[in-house]
């Protein structure tokens, strides 16, 4: 799914004729692999947030929405709205309703939010550094980085119902890494090392946190390492409750 979405966003970033259609078609294909890919369609409206003020307003709306979902009274209204919508959607409706009726604040929500905020600040800084640069492709990449950070932040309300919405951050980081790889060659040596240090800190902290909480390790990494069909580890026993 992540690979197909990566290709889809490449079309969106290119921004030529019919590229938006290709993006939607590829995201639809990725959603057939994993339904979470649908959320990457949010990049279409997010791309219209071209000014700093518009982006700040968006962050404000998402923050307020998160608070409203967390408050019991308004959360009840939110559940009723989702129920009304989900009953009209034959395929994804039941899934929507399943999440709406849960309330499990993500175990690593603080890191998810921090990742989005730090990335947005970082891309704002890169925009300022290259503001006068006569390189439209680079500036377009930096704007895409801002949009990816806003997409990550838009997932914050969903972290309240299930931690696994952080997969949008994990899969979307492929795009962010590609943008950083393109940007590194244009930076001064000092800024280059600073960017690498920030990215290393973000990824290292995030990886440590997911391992520490055990969710990613026991549900994803451990089965991949110990229960694969090519090299099964017959001495490994999955922890009770992680199935």
């Amino acid at each position: 799914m992540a690979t197909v979405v990566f290709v889809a966003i490449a079309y969106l970033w290119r921004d030529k004729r019919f590229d938006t259609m290709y993006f939607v078609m590829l995201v639809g294909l990725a959603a057939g692999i994993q339904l979470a890919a649908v959320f990457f369609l949010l990049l279409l409206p997010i791309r219209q947030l071209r000014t700093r003020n518009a982006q700040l307003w968006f962050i404000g709306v998402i923050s307020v929405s998160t608070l409203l979902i967390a408050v019991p009274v308004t959360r009840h209204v939110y559940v009723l709205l989702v129920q009304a919508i989900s009953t009209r959607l034959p395929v994804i409706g039941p899934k929507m309703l399943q999440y709406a009726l849960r309330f499990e604040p993500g175990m690593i929500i603080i890191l998810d939010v921090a990742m989005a905020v730090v990335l947005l600040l970082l891309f704002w800084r890169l925009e300022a550094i290259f503001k006068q640069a006569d390189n439209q492709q680079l500036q377009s990449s930096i704007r895409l980085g801002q949009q990816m950070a806003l997409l990550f932040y838009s997932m914050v309300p969903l972290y309240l119902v299930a931690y696994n919405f952080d997969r949008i951050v994990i899969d979307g980081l492929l795009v962010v890494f590609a943008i950083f790889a393109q940007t590194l060659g244009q930076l001064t040596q000092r800024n280059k090392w600073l960017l690498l240090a920030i990215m290393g800190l973000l990824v290292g902290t995030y990886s440590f946190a997911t391992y520490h909480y055990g969710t990613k390790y026991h549900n994803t990494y451990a089965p991949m390492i110990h229960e694969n069909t090519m090299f099964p580890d017959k001495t490994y026993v999955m922890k009770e409750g992680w199935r």
Side-chain angles (χ1 to χ4, degrees):
M1 183 274 277
T3 303
V4 177
V5 167
F6 184 86
V7 176
I9 293 174
Y11 277 105
L12 192 67
W13 166 79
R14 195 172 65 168
D15 201 20
K16 293 184 179 180
R17 190 181 180 186
F18 300 124
D19 281 347
T20 299
M21 181 182 69
Y22 295 147
F23 168 76
V24 173
M25 290 173 59
L26 285 168
V27 169
L29 175 62
I33 302 170
Q34 189 175 78
L35 192 59
V38 170
F39 290 102
F40 283 96
L41 291 176
L42 289 172
L43 280 171
L44 291 175
I46 287 175
R47 282 176 67 80
Q48 306 307 313
L49 305 173
R50 302 184 185 278
T51 65
R52 185 73 56 86
N53 284 339
Q55 293 175 356
L56 288 172
W57 271 103
F58 178 80
I59 291 172
V61 169
I62 295 298
S63 300
V64 171
S65 300
T66 303
L67 292 174
L68 290 177
I69 291 176
V71 175
V73 176
T74 49
R75 176 171 171 74
H76 179 66
V77 176
Y78 150 76
V79 171
L80 290 177
L81 287 173
V82 174
Q83 284 177 322
I85 296 171
S86 63
T87 54
R88 302 176 184 276
L89 300 173
V91 179
I92 65 173
K95 193 73 171 179
M96 288 176 56
L97 189 58
Q98 176 189 350
Y99 280 119
L101 298 176
R102 291 164 57 182
F103 190 69
E104 301 174 7
M107 292 185 294
I108 53 173
I109 185 173
I110 294 176
L111 284 174
D112 288 309
V113 175
M115 177 82 78
V117 171
V118 171
L119 285 175
L120 185 59
L121 293 174
L122 198 53
F123 281 114
W124 278 348
R125 178 57 185 160
L126 289 173
E127 182 182 45
I129 291 175
F130 294 109
K131 191 172 184 178
Q132 304 302 325
D134 187 19
N135 189 330
Q136 293 299 320
Q137 189 178 33
L138 181 61
Q139 292 175 359
S140 177
S141 296
I142 292 172
R143 284 194 296 272
L144 176 60
Q146 294 173 0
Q147 293 154 11
M148 292 302 298
L150 290 172
L151 173 65
F152 297 159
Y153 195 78
S154 70
M155 293 294 103
V156 173
L158 298 178
Y159 295 148
L160 295 177
V161 295
Y163 75 88
N164 58 352
F165 280 105
D166 69 349
R167 71 182 63 178
I168 304 300
V169 177
I170 296 168
D171 296 339
L173 280 176
L174 290 172
V175 179
V176 173
F177 291 150
I179 295 170
F180 281 142
Q182 181 187 19
T183 307
L184 278 173
Q186 309 293 326
L187 288 169
T188 62
Q189 195 69 16
R190 178 176 177 273
N191 286 332
K192 184 182 299 185
W193 284 110
L194 182 61
L195 179 60
L196 287 172
I198 292 172
M199 280 307 300
L201 182 62
L202 283 174
V203 175
T205 303
Y206 198 83
S207 300
F208 174 79
T210 55
Y211 178 88
H212 175 71
Y213 283 116
T215 304
K216 284 289 181 297
Y217 178 75
H218 291 288
N219 278 348
T220 304
Y221 299 135
M224 181 176 65
I225 296 171
H226 299 284
E227 297 186 356
N228 65 81
T229 55
M230 291 184 66
F231 304 104
D233 183 357
K234 296 181 180 180
T235 63
Y236 177 76
V237 178
M238 178 70 81
K239 281 189 178 181
E240 181 117 10
W242 290 107
R243 284 286 185 183

